[in-house]
Amino acid sequence: MRPHPLVAACVAALMCAALTSCSREDDGRNAEPTAGAAVDPGPEETEETGTPSEDPEEEPPFGTPVGWAGHPGQVEETEEPDEVEEDDEDGEEVDDPEEHTAVTGGAEGETVTAKDADELAEHLRAEEPLIVEVEGGIDLDGRIRVGSNKTLLGVGEGAELTGGALVVEEAANVVIANVTMTVDETAVSIGKGAHHVWVDGSTFSGGDGDPLVSVTDDADHITLSWNRFTDAEAAILIDGGDDEERAPRVTVHHNFFDGTTARHPRALNAEHVHVFNNYFRDNPEYGVSSADGANVLVEGNYFERTPLSVATEKDDEPGNVATRDNLLVDSDQPELRGEVPDPPYAYELDDTVTIPDLVGSRAGAH
């Protein structure tokens, strides 16, 4: 079994420190392993194939954060800025949005180890960038906040976190990877000004009816990739709330929704949600839902025994949905609504017919 790319990268980083120079090989998982556009799986159960963008020119040192988390951009801070600049035209003082690059987590900092919940909480709230490694099981004993410029990485056989949740609020440049979380609430909560957050290669179960991962309020530039969701009623909730000017932008790709009931994701008031190359299997209610004016692009996904692949209305105002190149097995075609633009970032689709084997074998913590 291949090691998680972030695990391999941490080992490589230590070698670089000792030898002063080194080169990196990417195992290809987060770099979208299959080249070329997705093929048309058949005229009866698929939509029109889209044209993928070119590969990114550069990669962060531990892999490729495909999607919104890997897309540089200006993000307005939720806190009051220390300085304002004067508008040249009318003399009014205006906020100066800060330019943020693609997510790198704690790559610029030291690597530390957390053996229990207290050490984990201390490292994750530190001011400096850190790669925080965890091996084995930890009882979180509550909600632990994750600060800016942090990588939480399960090593060895990965980390199993129970008894609590990870909360990313008013923080930026965060990576959570190769962890297993079995919880009675939302496992990872991303909201209140969080941006450029990447949740990758992890396994989530439980939730007790709450979504296992939530992206709420004005959280922005989020990618959820190569995760496995199982034994849960709700997988992912993306909800911009009432703030029409700061609706979330989220990418959901190469995740395995294994028997989870619904919300894969459910998007409400989201500016742009891109759902591609995910494997949906035995989801009794629905796959993807768009409501309250959300804009959702669904492409290259494999729906298997999911009665309703995509829903545009469920108890709320309808949302917009565009679909293409999805393969439906014992799943109904969706009723489309509105128009959804293509994302501005580079990405590459894997062939839809390969998704069950590709995602089924690689998604989740290892």
Side-chain angles (χ1 to χ4, degrees):
M1 181 174 294
R2 291 181 179 179
H4 190 279
L6 296 185
V7 178
C10 288
V11 175
L14 295 175
M15 293 176 64
C16 287
L19 300 177
T20 70
S21 65
C22 66
S23 61
R24 171 185 170 271
E25 290 186 4
D26 185 3
D27 77 350
R29 198 195 71 169
N30 288 316
E32 305 302 317
T34 304
V39 299
D40 185 352
E44 295 183 358
E45 292 186 321
T46 186
E47 295 99 26
E48 182 180 356
T49 303
T51 302
S53 304
E54 296 179 357
D55 290 332
E57 294 181 358
E58 297 181 0
E59 296 179 1
F62 50 73
T64 304
V66 176
W68 280 109
H71 182 62
Q74 289 186 341
V75 178
E76 296 180 0
E77 304 297 342
T78 55
E79 299 180 350
E80 291 295 326
D82 295 332
E83 298 180 358
V84 295
E85 64 177 14
E86 187 174 292
D87 185 21
D88 292 336
E89 295 183 0
D90 54 19
E92 295 181 358
E93 291 184 339
V94 297
D95 294 344
D96 184 14
E98 184 177 352
E99 182 78 18
H100 291 271
T101 59
V103 62
T104 58
E108 295 183 359
E110 298 180 353
T111 299
V112 297
T113 301
K115 298 180 180 179
D116 55 37
D118 290 338
E119 286 187 345
L120 182 61
E122 180 180 358
H123 291 321
L124 292 179
R125 67 170 177 258
E127 294 184 1
E128 67 273 15
L130 288 175
I131 298 174
V132 184
E133 294 185 343
V134 176
E135 183 175 4
I138 289 182
D139 183 353
L140 298 179
D141 192 26
R143 297 162 66 85
I144 291 182
R145 288 186 173 269
V146 183
S148 295
N149 306 312
K150 298 295 185 296
T151 296
L152 172 58
L153 175 63
V155 298
E157 294 298 322
E160 183 174 4
L161 307 180
T162 58
L166 300 173
V167 179
V168 186
E169 295 180 349
E170 297 180 351
N173 193 27
V174 172
V175 178
I176 299 171
N178 202 38
V179 298
T180 296
M181 297 188 70
T182 304
V183 295
D184 295 327
E185 57 181 307
T186 296
V188 179
S189 177
I190 305 169
K192 291 186 180 178
H195 61 89
H196 288 88
V197 180
W198 182 21
V199 181
D200 179 66
S202 297
T203 299
F204 302 101
S205 61
D208 195 23
D210 293 327
L212 291 170
V213 176
S214 67
V215 180
T216 59
D217 301 322
D218 56 357
D220 198 8
H221 283 69
I222 313 297
T223 292
L224 311 175
S225 60
W226 295 100
N227 302 296
R228 181 171 182 255
F229 297 85
T230 185
D231 296 327
E233 296 180 18
I236 302 169
L237 173 65
I238 302 170
D239 187 356
D242 297 329
D243 192 343
E244 296 180 358
E245 297 181 358
R246 298 284 301 278
R249 290 170 287 189
V250 184
T251 303
V252 180
H253 77 88
H254 290 91
N255 297 280
F256 184 12
F257 300 108
D258 186 8
T260 45
T261 302
R263 300 187 181 187
H264 315 96
R266 185 181 187 198
L268 301 93
N269 187 28
E271 180 176 332
H272 193 276
V273 178
H274 187 197
V275 182
F276 75 92
N277 278 164
N278 299 281
Y279 182 24
F280 298 78
R281 185 175 73 180
D282 295 322
N283 312 112
E285 288 193 10
Y286 64 87
V288 180
S289 173
S290 178
D292 199 16
N295 298 304
V296 184
L297 172 61
V298 183
E299 63 174 331
N301 301 281
Y302 194 105
F303 294 90
E304 183 177 358
R305 296 185 299 275
T306 300
L308 182 59
S309 58
V310 182
T312 57
E313 183 175 6
K314 186 177 175 62
D315 301 330
D316 288 280
E317 293 295 324
N320 300 312
V321 168
T323 67
R324 58 190 181 217
D325 197 42
N326 298 296
L327 201 155
L328 311 178
V329 178
D330 295 329
S331 300
D332 290 339
Q333 291 276 7
E335 294 184 5
L336 306 183
R337 180 183 185 275
E339 297 181 357
V340 179
D342 287 337
Y345 50 76
Y347 68 102
E348 187 172 340
L349 289 173
D350 286 304
D351 292 350
T352 310
V353 294
T354 70
I355 293 304
D357 289 338
L358 176 66
V359 175
S361 62
R362 298 189 187 185
H366 297 294

